[in-house]
Amino acid sequence: MTKKTDQDVMRENNKKLVLKTLFNAGQTSRSSIASAVHLQKSTVSSIILELHEDGLIEELGIGEASNAGGRRPNLIQFNYRYGYVLAFDMGARHLRYSVNYMNGEVIQKESLRLTGHSIKDVFQMMQQVISGLPAFDTMNGLLGIAVSAHAPVHENEIRYSPFLELDSFSLLEALQGIVDVPIRFENEANLTAISIRDFWYYSGEEPLSSLLALNIHNGIGVGTIINEQLYHGMQGLAGEIGRSVIYKDGQVYRLEELYSEKAVMEKIAQQNGKQELTVEEFVALIKSKDSFVLAVVDEWVTAIAQITYNLVQYGAPEAVFLSSRSLSQFPELLNRIYEEYKALNPLGETRIEFTQHDIYESSLLGGVALIARQVLGLESQDLIFKK
């Protein structure tokens, strides 16, 4: 292998800097990019030519002259139609997918009811989705696939799944057998954290360098961003907060056995003589102000506030983002969580936020960003994606 010279490394770094600036800028010009990255115009022009040859630049024509006059600039932008990426989310009952341009814009998305609980069944559904995708008017078609798993992931393999029967079947190898593109598996809460980092709108604020994404769904998980990078921990096990133990009523429980959305819904279903509730039924019962349901929800709100407080005391992030399918429909409950959290008198000034985009989109958007970054070679750059 030929060893890279310092000049080669510098050239690669400059190219990444120019591409990042182009990706984030929208309509821009070569001179604007040169000013933004503080490089010689000749260096930037050479890199722009290379990116153009790679198909990553779209020419927009002549723009308006500046107030100071001078030559009218040739406008360019990142070619978001360079290709598209595909993200899957494997839930307990549904396989969701999203097809997005490289800048994050959605082309197509759908939710499919799972036909079985075997990972082989999931693969068959994925295969049908992939085979049915056209080029979507892009230069290169499918560029990569991300798979969100509601389970720990290590070295691109799902360690175990509480919802799906893995049966020693390698989903990665099966997918690699039908497409020749990068494929990445990642934990659902981790992808939610990535989606917040890359898609969150900061309204002129500086992007957050540290944040926690607390996801309360069928389980309880936390995605962690430290210094703008995703933290996995040993063997990908960081964030498995739902497996924390708690002593209650003379017994030791896992936290998610008591306070996951699934656990709360099962408790209410049992009271109503049902095996299970849908999220829609759960929401309807809250709206009906059933006394038993409200008492369970009161305890749940307090528990979430305490979980959030404990996370903040340990990690001291700039912000914690809460995500729950049912709670998201009740702003008053979200406000109560925040008030109970503040009443615990936390140290520091961590913000408590609630994910803005659709709860079901979070992990999909994170997967889109994960793959787009890999394809572009910009894994550690500050990128701003669009919805």
Side-chain angles (χ1 to χ4, degrees):
M1 181 181 292
T2 304
K3 186 176 180 179
K4 292 182 180 178
T5 66
D6 290 344
Q7 189 171 3
D8 291 332
V9 172
M10 183 179 295
R11 173 75 177 183
E12 283 186 12
N13 290 338
N14 287 341
K15 184 176 179 180
K16 289 181 179 180
L17 185 59
V18 169
L19 181 55
K20 178 199 82 168
T21 305
L22 176 71
F23 186 95
N24 292 338
Q27 292 188 8
T28 187
S29 66
R30 291 162 176 81
S31 59
S32 295
I33 292 177
S35 297
V37 299
H38 306 294
L39 292 174
Q40 295 281 350
K41 288 185 179 180
S42 59
T43 300
V44 171
S45 294
S46 175
I47 293 173
I48 290 291
L49 178 61
E50 187 177 340
L51 294 175
H52 201 298
E53 291 172 349
D54 291 339
L56 290 168
I57 288 181
E58 181 182 0
E59 296 283 352
L60 300 177
I62 304 298
E64 297 296 326
S66 67
N67 293 333
R71 294 179 57 185
R72 296 165 64 190
N74 288 310
L75 296 180
I76 58 175
Q77 70 178 14
F78 174 77
N79 181 18
Y80 66 93
R81 292 181 182 271
Y82 176 74
Y84 67 83
V85 296
L86 170 63
F88 287 107
D89 179 80
M90 300 187 301
R93 294 183 177 86
H94 293 84
L95 175 68
R96 296 180 173 84
Y97 74 89
S98 182
V99 182
N100 299 60
Y101 291 120
M102 291 290 285
N103 64 349
E105 291 183 43
V106 177
I107 303 172
Q108 174 180 314
K109 62 179 180 179
E110 191 172 351
S111 177
L112 306 172
R113 183 80 177 181
L114 287 180
T115 56
H117 294 288
S118 168
I119 196 72
K120 295 178 184 178
D121 297 325
V122 175
F123 168 67
Q124 292 296 326
M125 295 176 71
M126 289 180 171
Q127 188 175 30
Q128 291 178 7
V129 170
I130 294 168
S131 64
L133 295 177
F136 292 113
D137 193 28
T138 61
M139 288 179 59
N140 299 294
L142 179 64
L143 295 173
I145 297 173
V147 180
S148 167
H150 296 240
V153 174
H154 180 54
E155 294 182 348
N156 221 24
E157 288 285 352
I158 303 170
R159 294 198 58 184
Y160 64 84
S161 173
F163 310 121
L164 296 171
E165 299 165 5
L166 299 183
D167 301 326
S168 301
F169 177 81
S170 174
L171 180 57
L172 175 62
E173 291 181 5
L175 289 171
Q176 288 174 332
I178 60 173
V179 289
D180 184 22
V181 296
I183 300 170
R184 292 284 298 276
F185 286 73
E186 187 53 88
N187 170 266
E188 169 254 353
N190 287 346
L191 289 177
T192 298
I194 290 175
S195 75
I196 294 166
R197 180 195 65 187
D198 288 355
F199 284 87
W200 189 261
Y201 295 101
Y202 292 98
S203 302
E205 301 175 27
E206 286 295 313
L208 297 169
S209 64
S210 64
L211 65 92
L212 299 178
L214 174 57
N215 282 15
I216 304 169
H217 303 307
N218 287 316
I220 304 177
V222 176
T224 304
I225 299 290
I226 301 175
N227 294 328
E228 300 182 16
Q229 301 302 309
L230 182 66
Y231 176 70
H232 287 95
M234 185 177 69
Q235 297 181 336
L237 291 172
E240 290 296 297
I241 188 69
R243 293 181 57 80
S244 301
V245 294
I246 184 172
Y247 185 78
K248 184 185 179 190
D249 300 330
Q251 284 187 261
V252 176
Y253 296 92
R254 300 284 185 191
L255 201 60
E256 60 192 12
E257 290 177 323
L258 296 175
Y259 299 123
S260 67
E261 195 172 69
K262 179 174 181 252
V264 171
M265 288 166 58
E266 286 178 348
K267 185 174 182 177
I268 295 171
Q270 186 177 17
Q271 174 70 15
N272 284 269
K274 294 184 176 183
Q275 285 191 333
E276 61 180 21
L277 291 177
T278 65
V279 172
E280 291 74 22
E281 289 172 331
F282 180 36
V283 168
L285 283 170
I286 297 175
K287 289 180 178 178
S288 73
K289 299 189 182 300
D290 178 279
S291 59
F292 179 82
V293 173
L294 291 182
V296 172
V297 170
D298 285 347
E299 181 182 349
W300 193 31
V301 164
T302 298
I304 294 172
Q306 292 174 354
I307 292 167
T308 304
Y309 173 86
N310 290 337
L311 287 172
V312 169
Q313 302 323 295
Y314 176 72
E318 293 173 77
V320 176
F321 291 80
L322 302 182
S323 172
S324 165
R325 296 168 297 183
S326 52
L327 287 179
S328 65
Q329 301 186 46
F330 295 94
E332 67 274 16
L333 293 181
L334 299 178
N335 291 336
R336 282 178 51 195
I337 291 171
Y338 177 75
E339 293 301 325
E340 292 203 29
Y341 163 81
K342 291 296 290 183
L344 294 170
N345 194 28
L347 299 173
E349 298 179 356
T350 296
R351 292 159 49 186
I352 307 301
E353 302 276 2
F354 304 97
T355 50
Q356 288 181 337
H357 41 248
D358 188 306
I359 297 300
Y360 297 109
E361 282 187 346
S362 297
S363 61
L364 292 173
L365 291 175
V368 168
L370 184 73
I371 284 294
R373 284 173 170 279
Q374 179 175 341
V375 170
L376 296 173
L378 299 177
E379 288 92 338
S380 60
Q381 301 291 324
D382 297 330
L383 297 183
I384 302 170
F385 287 81
K386 299 176 178 61
K387 283 181 62 178

